[in-house]
């Protein structure tokens, strides 16, 4: 994580401006003063920032012992010798437009010289006073009627803005590659672009609706992608969908020594094999529905559950592999279809489960091998039709934050964490628990090893912390240091799907959008041609909003978005 030292000798108003600017960040700031009486030390105490009184002659020893990514001189009244400057990157703020008025009393001298303008400069520190390379400057006009006090006030105000912004620029060093083409990835891209730590966003396979948000990397396969990622100095990879993970993309990036958010080939099985997940839960006493595995049609007669029961393809089936059978004929037909390859290899093995009753929640957590850090509980609407009728889909809408029994959830997370640690789940990624709150407690319906779609669309609106900061903490196994901020305001997402979804979605219908400002549209199955947008997949787009009017805003917008026979649910709400 980023550590920044701020050196000040006096009052520390620049110090306070920096701390306030970065208040929601996990950057670790510390305050250093060469003057034990300096007011800045009192400010640091009030702002809860670690502070040190370091005698000028002890600075070298202090900086050899304590490493920082950046050292900011903010009213530090000493000249630092070369051996000290060699310990890191030092910047200084000076109240003039350098190279004019170097040295002490710069504001007074500029005022006395009756120049028309002066200003503020941030520069790297070298052993010559106020002479290092300039990083940023901002002008302040000196009006003829201005007093010295007014000028000083304007200069300080300018400093308080320029210094934090310049620090922000200097610490933006993460080049992130985001993989995936859905509305989930659009929402993740949107959130990453808000990060104070992002240098540049790269995209692999974005759809036409968000490909303008980053630089696209093209590659034939994941090996080529990881080579290109190395060339571009990408230092973090975030993987949206399950397919690349199941194909082992994490292992490829980790061989290339590029940190990656997503499980390895072994742990993706919690999602890609329902039987693997069931056995993991059974070994670790994680509550879940009773089940049996079948691989031959003859096994049907041994199924011990009453109707309705649940038939699940063992492997990945794009969220469509679950069927609830109400009677024998129904069950036999479905099981035969599955075993005969309805979902190809994914349904050659089937998990049969007892049917559970209760409200469902999606609990999505960051995981770093030691700490599970949950986002707000969310709910998705998996069935195609209102009142949970119709076939399962990839998800027709989502809401958050859902009210949950926090004690029960904590207990569940503890059980899951213990199991992951016991089985040495030493990866950095996302663990999504699909939970059902039954009369006999919380039970797991499924695990996904990635962000949910469409839950992510609402969760990114809900998350007030910097997503990239959390991901960086995760790759450093420091999730325990994150004080995550989740909003209490409702966030709603309604998915618009193409006619024919989920079985045979139509493509090529023109989409017309005419909505107001307060909503977010995240694109999925869309294609651009000659400046026009067309449908190009099942789930076309997600319409989202946050705040007390979110529901009406979203449904107004849904009316203002048109394409032929669009499908959506009218009953998405918290
Ligand atoms: P899954 O992909 O396993 O989450 O299943 C998709 C959806 O099917 C779930 O969100 C539930 O609505 C439903 N479902 C899955 N398993 C069960 C179960 N054992 N009892 C009741 N409903 C289930
Ligand atoms: N919303 C369900 C999923 O992402 O699998």
């Amino acid at each position: 994580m980023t550590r920044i030292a701020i050196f000040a000798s006096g009052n520390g108003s620049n110090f306070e401006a920096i701390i306030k600017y970065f208040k929601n960040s996990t950057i670790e700031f510390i305050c250093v003063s060469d003057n034990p009486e300096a007011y800045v030390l009192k400010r640091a105490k009030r702002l809860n920032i670690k502070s040190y009184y370091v005698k000028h002659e002890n600075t070298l020893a202090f900086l050899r012992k304590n490493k920082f990514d950046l050292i900011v001189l903010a009213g530090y009244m000493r000249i630092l010798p070369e051996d000290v400057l060699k310990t890191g990157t030092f910047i200084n703020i000076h109240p003039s437009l350098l190279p004019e008025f170097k040295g002490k009393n710069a504001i007074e001298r500029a005022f006395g010289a009756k120049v028309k303008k002066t200003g503020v400069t941030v520069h790297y520190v070298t052993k010559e006073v106020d002479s290092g390379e300039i990083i940023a400057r901002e002008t302040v006009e000196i009006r003829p009627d201005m007093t010295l006090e007014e000028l000083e006030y304007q200069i300080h105000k300018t400093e308080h803005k320029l210094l934090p912004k310049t620090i922000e620029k200097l610490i933006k060093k993460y080049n992130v590659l985001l993989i995936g083409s859905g509305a989930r990835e659009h929402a993740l891209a949107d959130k990453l672009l808000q990060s104070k730590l992002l240098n540049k966003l790269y995209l692999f396979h974005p759809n036409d609706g968000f490909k303008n948000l980053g630089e696209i990397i093209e590659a034939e396969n994941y090996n080529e992608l990881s080579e290109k990622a190395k060339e571009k100095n990408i230092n973090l990879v975030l993987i949206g969908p399950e397919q690349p993970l199941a194909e082992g993309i994490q292992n490829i990036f980790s061989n290339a020594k590029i940190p990656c958010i997503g499980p390895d080939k072994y742990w993706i099985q919690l999602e890609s094999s329902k039987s693997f997940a069931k056995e993991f839960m059974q070994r670790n006493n994680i509550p879940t529905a009773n089940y049996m595995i079948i691989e031959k049609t003859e096994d049907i007669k041994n199924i011990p559950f009453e109707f309705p029961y649940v038939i699940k393809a063992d492997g990945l089936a794009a969220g469509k592999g679950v069927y609830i059978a109400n009677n024998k004929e129904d069950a036999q037909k479905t099981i035969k279809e599955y075993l005969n390859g309805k979902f190809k290899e994914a349904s050659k093995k089937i998990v049969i489960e007892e049917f559970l009753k209760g409200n469902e929640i999606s609990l999505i957590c960051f995981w770093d091998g030691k700490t599970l850090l949950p986002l707000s509980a969310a709910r998705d609407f998996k069935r195609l039709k209102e009142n949970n009728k119709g076939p399962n889909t990839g998800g027709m809408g989502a809401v958050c934050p859902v009210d949950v029994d926090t004690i029960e959830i904590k207990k569940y997370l503890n059980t899951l964490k213990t199991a992951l640690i016991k089985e040495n789940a030493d990866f950095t990624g996302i663990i999504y628990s699909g939970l059902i709150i039954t009369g006999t407690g919380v039970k797991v319906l499924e695990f996904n090893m990635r962000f949910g779609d469409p839950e992510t669309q609402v969760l990114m609106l809900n998350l007030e912390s910097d997503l990239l900061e959390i991901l960086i903490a995760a790759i450093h196994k420091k999730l325990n240091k994150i004080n995550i901020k989740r909003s209490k305001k409702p966030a709603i997402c309604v998915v618009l799907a193409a006619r024919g979804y989920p079985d045979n979605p139509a493509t090529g219908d023109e989409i017309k959008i005419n909505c107001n400002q307060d909503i977010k549209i995240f694109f999925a199955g869309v294609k651009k041609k000659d400046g026009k947008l067309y449908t190009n997949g099942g789930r076309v787009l997600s319409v989202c909003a946050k705040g007390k009017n979110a529901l009406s805003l979203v449904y107004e917008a849904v009316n203002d978005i048109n394409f032929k026979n669009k499908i959506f649910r009218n009953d998405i709400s918290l």
Side-chain angles (χ1 to χ4, degrees):
M1 246 180 291
T2 310
R3 291 186 83 215
I4 299 179
I6 302 172
F7 278 52
S9 304
N11 159 302
S13 64
N14 270 312
F15 164 80
E16 182 153 349
I18 296 168
I19 299 304
K20 289 201 164 137
Y21 187 83
F22 288 98
K23 74 174 182 301
N24 283 331
S25 113
T26 55
I27 298 167
E28 189 186 345
F29 285 100
I30 72 136
C31 169
V32 176
S33 187
D34 58 331
N35 169 10
E37 303 301 326
Y39 185 66
V40 70
L41 292 172
K42 295 195 177 71
R43 285 196 205 247
K45 201 164 178 198
R46 166 162 57 77
L47 295 164
N48 224 351
I49 300 292
K50 225 189 244 174
S51 60
Y52 297 89
Y53 157 54
V54 179
K55 272 193 193 153
H56 183 56
E57 54 271 32
N58 294 340
T59 312
L60 182 61
F62 177 81
L63 289 174
R64 283 197 171 142
K65 220 169 97 196
N66 298 283
K67 291 280 165 225
F68 299 100
D69 299 284
L70 186 67
I71 297 140
V72 180
L73 309 184
Y76 188 66
M77 308 310 274
R78 302 272 192 168
I79 294 169
L80 293 170
E82 214 162 352
D83 51 356
V84 169
L85 294 176
K86 276 192 183 140
T87 61
T89 306
F90 290 72
I91 64 169
N92 181 42
I93 186 152
H94 184 76
S96 79
L97 288 177
L98 288 175
E100 282 160 30
F101 305 109
K102 291 180 183 179
K104 285 195 176 147
N105 305 324
I107 307 178
E108 241 171 72
R109 281 159 47 222
F111 187 78
K114 300 210 180 320
V115 289
K116 289 215 169 65
K117 55 184 191 181
T118 179
V120 172
T121 305
V122 181
H123 63 96
Y124 288 109
V125 181
T126 55
K127 62 181 192 317
E128 291 83 27
V129 174
D130 299 331
S131 298
E133 187 192 333
I134 290 171
I135 309 166
R137 292 205 300 181
E138 201 162 314
T139 305
V140 174
E141 307 269 340
I142 309 182
R143 293 189 312 270
D145 59 342
M146 224 178 192
T147 63
L148 177 61
E149 288 69 35
E150 279 165 350
L151 178 62
E152 278 170 342
Y153 173 80
Q154 286 304 331
I155 294 267
H156 293 317
K157 219 168 92 179
T158 308
E159 284 183 332
H160 299 166
K161 277 198 227 138
L162 187 66
L163 187 53
K165 284 229 166 88
T166 310
I167 294 173
E168 184 178 0
K169 247 193 246 158
L170 290 174
I171 58 173
K172 270 190 187 178
K173 48 189 179 187
Y174 274 81
N175 293 324
V176 177
L177 169 61
L178 172 64
I179 295 177
S181 59
R184 163 184 52 205
E185 288 76 21
H186 186 174
L188 290 169
D190 181 74
K191 184 74 182 166
L192 286 169
L193 287 171
Q194 295 165 33
S195 171
K196 290 192 159 83
L197 299 168
L198 182 74
N199 180 49
K200 188 160 176 184
L201 182 64
Y202 291 87
L203 303 169
F204 182 61
H205 280 172
N207 68 59
D208 285 356
F210 74 97
K211 68 179 183 193
N212 58 326
L213 296 187
E215 182 179 318
I216 296 178
I217 303 190
E218 315 257 6
E220 290 291 318
N221 54 51
Y222 299 139
N223 281 316
E224 190 187 334
L225 184 62
S226 86
E227 277 160 28
K228 288 194 170 167
K230 262 238 120 77
E231 282 164 22
K232 304 257 183 205
N233 286 322
I234 283 167
N235 27 30
L236 193 142
V237 183
L238 175 58
I239 298 149
E242 62 276 20
Q243 204 62 43
L245 289 165
E247 290 164 12
I249 192 171
Q250 192 270 1
N251 300 70
I252 292 172
F253 278 105
S254 87
N255 287 340
K257 305 229 168 341
I258 305 177
C260 188
I261 307 295
D264 54 29
K265 235 177 156 166
Y266 179 79
W267 283 104
I268 183 65
Q269 290 181 94
L270 276 182
E271 169 164 6
S272 66
S273 165
K274 303 249 184 226
S275 53
F276 177 95
K278 282 292 192 185
E279 283 154 16
F280 168 77
M281 288 188 266
Q282 202 165 40
R283 280 197 302 278
N284 292 290
N285 295 320
I286 296 173
T288 184
N290 290 321
Y291 74 104
M292 74 179 280
I293 293 167
I294 63 175
E295 290 177 88
K296 300 190 292 285
T297 28
E298 303 88 272
D299 296 338
I300 294 178
K301 56 182 186 297
N302 301 326
I303 294 172
F305 307 121
E306 311 224 321
F307 288 106
Y309 61 65
V310 187
I311 301 170
K312 297 185 175 183
D314 185 63
L316 295 178
K320 294 160 202 157
V322 174
Y323 186 82
I324 294 164
N326 286 310
N327 55 54
K328 207 166 144 193
E329 293 71 45
D330 204 18
Q332 277 176 341
K333 183 168 157 273
T334 303
I335 290 172
K336 275 186 194 150
E337 277 171 11
Y338 274 38
L339 291 175
N340 287 333
K342 176 165 185 188
F343 297 102
K344 311 217 168 69
E345 279 307 305
S347 63
K348 291 274 160 80
K349 197 184 206 180
I350 303 181
V351 173
I352 308 286
E353 263 183 31
E354 64 174 330
F355 182 83
L356 299 177
K357 259 203 174 127
N359 286 327
E360 289 180 40
I361 58 165
S362 307
L363 189 64
I364 297 175
C365 299
F366 301 94
W367 168 249
D368 64 2
K370 294 194 300 202
T371 304
L372 269 175
L373 180 69
L375 288 162
S376 292
R379 172 161 298 136
D380 77 341
F381 294 71
K382 286 200 172 87
R383 302 293 199 95
L384 185 68
K385 303 228 158 112
E386 276 95 14
N387 301 317
N388 288 330
K389 301 249 164 53
N392 264 320
T393 68
M396 295 301 292
V399 295
C400 82
V402 175
D403 249 345
V404 289
D405 179 338
T406 44
I407 295 174
E408 278 280 298
I409 294 296
K410 272 203 180 129
K411 203 170 96 190
Y412 163 71
L413 287 176
N414 223 4
T415 314
L416 176 61
K417 184 177 94 173
T418 309
L420 291 164
I421 290 173
K422 185 170 144 229
E423 301 213 357
N424 199 21
D426 193 17
F427 65 87
T428 305
I430 306 297
I431 304 182
Y432 163 142
S433 305
L435 302 176
I436 187 161
I437 319 296
T438 71
T440 53
V442 171
K443 293 190 179 176
V444 177
L445 291 177
E446 64 165 342
F447 289 118
N448 294 317
M449 303 306 279
R450 50 166 175 84
F451 285 107
D453 187 347
E455 291 94 326
T456 303
Q457 287 86 308
V458 284
L459 287 169
M460 289 304 113
L461 295 188
N462 173 272
L463 179 64
E464 288 177 349
S465 310
D466 179 334
L467 172 67
L468 182 52
E469 244 173 358
I470 299 177
L471 300 178
I472 294 167
I475 60 180
H476 291 112
K477 297 191 181 299
K478 286 197 172 152
L479 280 178
N480 61 336
K481 299 259 192 240
I482 296 277
N483 179 14
I484 194 168
K485 295 204 170 60
R486 316 172 189 91
S487 171
K488 291 199 166 63
K489 294 180 186 157
I492 312 272
C493 162
V494 173
V495 170
L496 302 192
R499 61 198 162 98
Y501 183 71
D503 292 334
N504 286 305
T507 59
D509 294 330
E510 191 182 340
I511 305 166
K512 292 201 169 136
I513 299 176
N514 180 22
C515 329
N516 84 34
Q517 307 287 320
D518 295 335
I519 57 150
K520 287 240 182 202
I521 300 178
F522 298 121
F523 290 103
V526 296
K527 206 163 183 57
K528 246 188 202 148
K529 218 175 114 192
D530 305 328
K532 288 182 177 170
L533 204 58
Y534 297 90
T535 61
N536 190 44
R539 289 187 291 170
V540 175
L541 51 84
S542 292
V543 187
C544 308
K546 180 183 164 187
K548 62 181 192 310
N549 300 324
L551 194 63
S552 53
L553 283 172
V554 163
Y555 276 107
E556 264 169 44
V558 164
N559 269 326
D560 295 335
I561 300 174
N562 287 304
F563 53 89
K564 193 171 174 188
N565 296 348
K566 67 181 190 231
I567 296 178
F568 64 95
R569 276 178 63 160
N570 242 317
D571 64 344
I572 311 293
S573 73
L574 258 168

